[in-house]
Amino acid sequence: MVRAKPEVAIVGGGICGLTTALAFEQRGWTPTVYEAASEYRPIGAGLLLQTNALLVFDRLGIADRIRTAGVPLSDSLIRSSSGRVLNRFDLNQVERSQFGYGFVAIHRAELQRILLEELDIEIRTGMACETVCNTDPPMARFADGTHIQPDILIGADGIDSSVRDVIAAGIEPQALESIVYRAVTTVDLPEAYRSQGVEIWGNGTYTGGAPIDADRFYWFATAPGPAPADSTGPVDTIAALRNRYADYPEPIPTVVGSLDADEVFVTGLRDIPSLETWSCGSVVIAGDAAHGMLPFAGQGAAQAIEDALALVHALDMQDGPTTAFEEFETKRKPRADRIRSESHRLGMLGLVQSSVGIRARNLAVKLLPGTIFRWFRRRRAAQTSLPEPTTPTEPADIST
């Protein structure tokens, strides 16, 4: 039987899954999204959308909505824990002047809301995928007993992906001996900090964040060791954080001082190793499921967003999923794997605990010529995975 419009199932309704669905919809496809959560709620932390993510959203026609909903940053600083400026990124100098977009800090839930409002396709919540039983044709089973058999199945279900198991069996996330704290807090900051991103490299810890609207700040921090024991109460955790960052440069002490115990999320730091392939049969993975990375390059969401557009373009233009997935991997895998490795190396720098290592790291960052940083930033934006624009077409026929 020949189907003019292949049935597409997207497992995972986070940023990657919703962006993929929007890209499909704009090309005349009608995917179905299966999201594990029972409902979409305005929780979570913030996102720093760098230029490459905004270029993709520009192609999808929603970049202006995102800029309005978030905070376009004027610049971003890297400081030492003593307050010394190690580097400053003037986002007008490279990103805005050459690519039209700088960085936008936004609440994850706000970006999710925008994507949901743009979509007209079916999103089925409360659908936790347990396993993919077959790949050609795909068959997936959900926790409620539902089975689906779409023509194409896309796993956008995060770093703990169940879809990945059928493509790369036995691959598990790799953990660092560190944790990350994240929070969005209401705080009254001086004008100087209301459009500025900041990173501070300390002794075994890396902290920073950015404003996401007029009175809210997205804060993050890493710390060595395992997550606090269950016996450690939220009040004790907040007290320890305030003590740890009391002498850091502003706005960190003010932001940490504003935290409520129920605002702080604590997770481990994990990534996944480079996979040999991202697809098998008519099943493919994208986003964190394919290349989950550490947060130090600020590119986890951006790479998932790039995946979305590239994957849909390949499926729309190629005859059948096999050829499309080959094109998708050829375009996306080297870049995503390279950025994943860069993020890992940055993490090793940010988590240095030796006093000698800290001094050497800070001196190296301080002395590195600005031209090197600008070249790196220019390359990051210029190599954004942006397929040639096309007009919506009839999806390719596939035989079953």
Side-chain angles (χ1 to χ4, degrees):
M1 182 178 68
V2 175
R3 294 178 179 173
K5 293 185 178 181
E7 181 185 351
V8 176
I10 301 172
V11 176
I15 302 305
C16 181
L18 295 178
T19 305
T20 303
L22 180 60
F24 268 126
E25 192 173 78
Q26 291 188 357
R27 289 169 178 259
W29 296 55
T30 310
T32 301
V33 175
Y34 297 85
E35 165 56 29
S38 60
E39 61 179 330
Y40 283 97
R41 293 184 293 167
I43 60 174
L47 289 172
L48 179 63
L49 296 175
Q50 296 186 21
T51 304
N52 53 324
L54 293 167
L55 288 171
V56 173
F57 285 134
D58 178 77
R59 182 66 59 83
L60 293 173
I62 61 172
D64 286 344
R65 284 197 67 182
I66 291 167
R67 281 197 295 197
T68 300
V71 174
L73 301 184
S74 58
D75 60 358
S76 183
L77 299 180
I78 299 177
R79 292 182 180 269
S80 70
S81 58
S82 66
R84 184 182 185 189
V85 176
L86 303 178
N87 213 290
R88 177 176 180 267
F89 299 155
D90 182 344
L91 298 173
N92 289 321
Q93 192 174 44
V94 174
E95 287 81 1
R96 286 195 184 91
S97 64
Q98 297 182 32
F99 301 98
Y101 294 96
F103 297 173
V104 171
I106 190 171
H107 198 292
R108 179 180 291 271
E110 190 67 12
L111 175 58
Q112 189 171 268
R113 179 189 64 79
I114 291 171
L115 291 167
L116 287 168
E117 288 179 355
E118 292 287 332
L119 286 166
D120 291 324
I121 51 90
E122 181 182 11
I123 299 175
R124 298 185 61 182
T125 56
M127 300 293 291
C129 182
E130 287 191 334
T131 186
V132 176
C133 316
N134 196 19
T135 61
D136 199 10
M139 178 185 292
R141 184 179 72 241
F142 293 83
D144 68 351
T146 299
H147 285 73
I148 61 170
Q149 292 182 277
D151 298 313
I152 297 167
L153 190 146
I154 298 170
D157 50 341
I159 197 168
D160 293 310
S161 170
S162 60
V163 179
R164 185 175 62 235
D165 291 341
V166 78
I167 295 170
I171 296 296
E172 297 292 338
Q174 305 170 129
L176 291 184
E177 288 298 318
S178 295
I179 57 175
V180 60
Y181 299 91
R182 293 184 176 92
V184 170
T185 186
T186 300
V187 60
D188 185 18
L189 291 176
E191 186 66 31
Y193 303 117
R194 292 183 182 178
S195 64
Q196 184 180 84
V198 62
E199 299 175 15
I200 299 171
W201 292 4
N203 183 348
T205 183
Y206 164 91
T207 186
I212 59 171
D213 60 30
D215 61 356
R216 289 191 301 167
F217 193 93
Y218 165 50
W219 170 79
F220 63 83
T222 64
D230 292 340
S231 59
T232 304
V235 174
D236 293 333
T237 298
I238 292 294
L241 289 171
R242 288 173 179 165
N243 181 63
R244 178 189 290 271
Y245 298 110
D247 295 328
Y248 272 57
E250 289 291 355
I252 299 304
T254 297
V255 169
V256 175
S258 73
L259 294 174
D260 290 330
D262 60 356
E263 292 176 334
V264 180
F265 299 88
V266 187
T267 60
L269 278 171
R270 303 182 300 160
D271 63 6
I272 63 170
S274 177
L275 305 179
E276 289 186 11
T277 182
W278 292 353
S279 65
C280 180
S282 295
V283 179
V284 66
I285 51 177
D288 283 351
H291 46 70
M293 60 187 67
L294 297 175
F296 300 97
Q299 278 286 309
Q303 290 307 300
I305 290 161
E306 286 193 33
D307 282 352
L309 188 60
L311 175 57
V312 172
H313 176 80
L315 283 165
D316 195 48
M317 300 301 292
Q318 296 297 329
D319 293 326
T322 300
T323 306
F325 295 163
E326 288 175 355
E327 177 184 306
F328 171 58
E329 285 193 34
T330 298
K331 297 287 187 182
R332 288 291 305 136
K333 194 172 186 301
R335 174 168 165 84
D337 282 348
R338 183 175 65 251
I339 291 175
R340 176 201 162 279
S341 295
E342 290 171 0
S343 187
H344 199 95
R345 289 194 297 271
L346 284 170
M348 297 305 99
L349 287 175
L351 300 176
V352 167
Q353 296 185 57
S354 132
S355 58
V356 173
I358 291 167
R359 286 196 297 270
R361 174 198 67 192
N362 291 355
L363 183 62
V365 174
K366 178 69 175 176
L367 295 180
L368 200 65
T371 52
I372 299 296
F373 281 99
R374 289 192 293 274
W375 173 84
F376 183 84
R377 290 156 53 198
R378 189 178 297 111
R379 185 185 71 165
R380 171 71 55 79
Q383 293 181 352
T384 304
S385 301
L386 285 175
E388 288 299 318
T390 61
T391 55
T393 61
E394 192 73 11
D397 290 351
I398 68 170
S399 298
T400 59

